[in-house]
Amino acid sequence: MITIRKEKPSDTAAREALLDAAFGDARFAKTCERFREGRLPASNLAFVASDGKTVIGTVRLWSIKAGTAGASLLLGPLAISETHQSQGIGGKLMRAALTRARMMGHRSILLVGDAAYYERFGFSADLTLGLDLPGEVDRARFLGLELEDGALRGAAGIVEATGARAPVSSLRHLVHAQSERAAA
Ligand SMILES: CC(C)(COP(=O)(O)OP(=O)(O)OC[C@H]1O[C@@H](n2cnc3c(N)ncnc32)[C@H](O)[C@@H]1OP(=O)(O)O)[C@@H](O)C(=O)NCCC(=O)NCCS
């Protein structure tokens, strides 16, 4: 049985392996990575899908300031292991994350991803027209979702990272993984 639950520290290695398999090294070059590097996800907003033994899906949300719209969240990366795709698990993970974010009083969520996938959850490129990211982005993939009506209305300006800094000890596994890749 597949369950969706909050991410635990012991999920780190499995989550990183899943993301490496889904995106390869390109994951570290993404503009959105600039909002995540050296920071912790937003409190209580990192989730995994598990088959009871193994982490087979991951999604995390990050604290940002969305220009004039103020406090917001950035969603991503979202990934489901290749052997478990197209079974509705990505959808379950997304809905769990969106429901929790709404319950916690967050007002909006931004992401960069395929509109053809994320539109089903209500995301739209129309809501980010006045916003900019600090780096290159395909605007058709820069999407927003209002958890509260009007939260992104007229939003303009640059999106900035506001998440808590990660303790150095929690970054060691990433430095290690990156140097191993560089040496390979
Ligand atoms: C995208 C992803 C998270 C979807 O997870 P999933 O568990 O397979 O999704 P679901 O089972 O909830 O939904 C599957 C449906 O989404 C569609 N879909 C998957 N990826 C899509 C995409 N990039 N664009 C449009 N539709 C997509 C599938 O074709 C399928 O359609 P169907 O229901 O009509 O058959 C998963 O395919 C994945 O991890 N991909 C690799 C990493 C990635 O691209 N992450 C998203 C970053 S934009």
Side-chain angles (χ1 to χ4, degrees):
M1 196 179 85
I2 309 296
T3 53
I4 309 293
R5 60 165 172 78
K6 267 198 247 176
E7 186 187 292
K8 299 184 285 198
S10 57
D11 296 324
T12 303
R15 181 199 68 227
E16 291 302 308
L18 181 53
L19 291 173
D20 280 345
F23 301 105
D25 277 352
R27 59 185 276 225
F28 297 108
K30 289 174 184 282
T31 293
C32 285
E33 190 61 22
R34 308 288 82 80
F35 296 105
R36 304 190 277 250
E37 58 193 355
R39 295 186 188 268
L40 296 170
S43 181
N44 291 316
L45 288 173
F47 301 90
V48 297
S50 164
D51 66 0
K53 283 184 294 202
T54 314
V55 169
I56 52 147
T58 172
V59 70
R60 305 171 102 196
L61 291 103
W62 307 80
S63 299
I64 53 168
K65 177 171 180 278
T68 56
S72 181
L73 294 167
L74 178 86
L75 185 145
L78 166 71
I80 303 298
S81 77
E82 209 173 346
T83 47
H84 290 83
Q85 288 177 9
S86 286
Q87 296 172 30
I89 302 168
K92 273 193 192 149
L93 206 44
M94 281 295 293
R95 278 185 283 275
L98 302 188
T99 300
R100 170 60 59 168
R102 190 178 278 112
M103 278 170 53
M104 289 173 72
H106 292 284
R107 301 179 67 232
S108 66
I109 302 180
L110 307 183
L111 63 78
V112 176
D114 292 337
Y117 184 69
Y118 290 106
E119 276 169 359
R120 70 194 68 185
F121 307 108
F123 284 86
S124 162
D126 291 347
L127 292 170
T128 65
L129 293 175
L131 291 169
D132 284 304
L133 293 174
E136 272 184 42
V137 66
D138 173 356
R139 297 220 61 110
R141 292 169 53 78
F142 183 23
L143 313 176
L145 172 74
E146 292 180 339
L147 299 175
E148 182 185 307
D149 247 10
L152 290 173
R153 195 175 303 139
I158 191 96
V159 179
E160 296 164 67
T162 57
R165 298 277 176 190
V168 171
S169 58
S170 76
L171 301 175
R172 277 200 194 116
H173 69 281
L174 285 180
V175 174
H176 178 66
Q178 276 171 320
S179 56
E180 275 197 338
R181 269 193 294 267

